[in-house]
Each structure stands twice: as structure tokens, then as C-alpha cells.
Amino acid sequence: MSTGTLLAIIIPVAVVVLLVALAVALFTRRRALRERFGPEYERTVEDSDSRLAAERELSAREKRHDQLDIKSLPGHTRDRYSRDWNNVQQEFVDRPEDAVHDADRLVTSLMHERGYPTEGFDQQLRDLSVQHGRTLEHYRAAHDIDTLSMGHNATTEQLRSAMVHYRALFDELLSDGGQTRHAHA
């Protein structure tokens, strides 16, 4: 068999093998991102120009998150946050708008104490999405109602709903969401 014939067989086979390997790698990456980010995966895809762009964004979030020093809280700090949350809930009876604002501040404080940057809501969402993608919609909903209440336009039922939403993320952050990751040295 001549070299030309051999190359005519080997090159297409190599290209097919390479394409199959690439397809498997993309599928594996996509599945891993879906599992990691939960509903946030689809939300990011919908908000992006393409699935590939969304997946690049999610991978960038993971890389940024890996640089953060996310830490567990000692028992006494958890107890303090639990007491603070109970106080916010009690405040809701007499001052629901204030309680919702305080719940937002308490969640932000807890995020900061765990090691999450708190430089802005959109960045908070991106940072939280890596480990807390399944409760992120709660945070969005609560924040939207908190913003609405700043203009005194939220109903008591909406404010109550905001407290429930904040509580979902608060509980997950307080319990570490089952995970703690430290930055790589």
C-alpha cells in the first residue's frame, strides 16, 4: 500500500476520532455544568447569545469561585446568625418592610462572613451560583421584592414571600450548603 493511500485512510480516521472525542468532551462538560449549576444553567443559557457562550460564562464563574476563600462558620457564629434571623422574623410582625431590608442585610453579612465578595447584587448572584444555584431563584425573588418595598409598593404578602425566599438562601449559607471549598494555594 502506498504512502498516499495510507495517508488517505489514516487522516480521515484521525479526524473522525478527534471529532468524536471533542463531542464527548463537550457533552461531559455540559452535563457537569448542568449538575453543578442546576436551574442557573438554563437561566444563563437563555440570557446568553449561545449555549457555548453561556458555558464559558459558567466556567469563568467556577474559576473565580475557586479563587475565593469560602469557609465554614464556627458554631458560635452560626448560633449568632440564627438568633439574628429570629430577631428579623419577630420584627416582621410590626415592621414588615424593615424586616425584609434587615433580612437582605443579614444574608449579605452572612455571605461576607463565609468569604463571598458582596460588591454588588449581580456579582453576588454569579458568585453564589457556583455552589448555591438551586436556591438562587429565591434570592432573586427576595431581592426584587425588597427593591419594590423601598418605594413602599410591596404588599404584606409579597413581603412575607420575600422573607421565605431570604430564609431559603440564609439556611443554605448557614449550613454551608453541604460544601466548603477553599482557594487553591
Side-chain angles (χ1 to χ4, degrees):
M1 193 177 294
S2 74
T3 306
T5 305
L6 195 56
L7 285 176
I9 294 170
I10 292 175
I11 291 174
V13 169
V15 169
V16 169
V17 168
L18 184 63
L19 290 174
V20 168
L22 182 61
V24 168
L26 286 173
F27 176 77
T28 302
R29 177 178 165 223
R30 179 167 294 154
R31 187 177 68 217
L33 288 170
R34 274 191 173 138
E35 288 174 12
R36 176 111 197 230
F37 286 90
E40 188 64 15
Y41 175 88
E42 291 303 328
R43 183 180 188 67
T44 305
V45 168
E46 288 172 14
D47 291 345
S48 294
D49 295 334
S50 70
R51 184 172 300 277
L52 189 58
E55 290 174 353
R56 270 190 243 127
E57 162 66 21
L58 293 172
S59 293
R61 291 181 194 185
E62 284 180 317
K63 287 178 184 152
R64 175 181 159 90
H65 190 273
D66 286 345
Q67 300 303 312
L68 302 176
D69 184 21
I70 306 301
K71 52 196 165 284
S72 295
L73 298 176
H76 68 278
T77 303
R78 287 176 202 255
D79 292 343
R80 176 176 48 87
Y81 273 103
S82 290
R83 283 190 307 272
D84 290 348
W85 182 263
N86 287 335
N87 290 336
V88 168
Q89 281 185 279
Q90 290 173 2
E91 176 186 20
F92 185 82
V93 173
D94 294 322
R95 295 186 327 275
E97 282 183 345
D98 292 340
V100 168
H101 300 320
D102 289 344
D104 181 70
R105 283 191 287 275
L106 188 59
V107 166
T108 301
S109 174
L110 178 55
M111 287 172 53
H112 178 74
E113 188 129 8
R114 289 283 318 277
Y116 287 98
T118 55
E119 61 224 26
F121 182 70
D122 289 336
Q123 187 61 52
Q124 288 173 359
L125 290 173
R126 286 189 293 276
D127 290 338
L128 286 170
S129 70
V130 177
Q131 282 188 354
H132 306 282
R134 300 201 190 298
T135 55
L136 210 51
E137 198 53 42
H138 287 286
Y139 191 38
R140 279 189 182 93
H143 183 77
D144 288 348
I145 295 167
D146 185 37
T147 301
L148 188 62
S149 75
M150 288 181 188
H152 308 290
N153 295 321
T155 66
T156 302
E157 181 56 27
Q158 287 172 315
L159 295 170
R160 185 200 64 74
S161 179
M163 293 295 290
V164 170
H165 289 306
Y166 276 127
R167 180 64 188 244
L169 180 59
F170 179 85
D171 285 346
E172 190 168 298
L173 285 169
L174 196 62
S175 69
D176 294 338
Q179 303 174 7
T180 302
R181 291 177 58 182
H182 296 278
H184 302 288

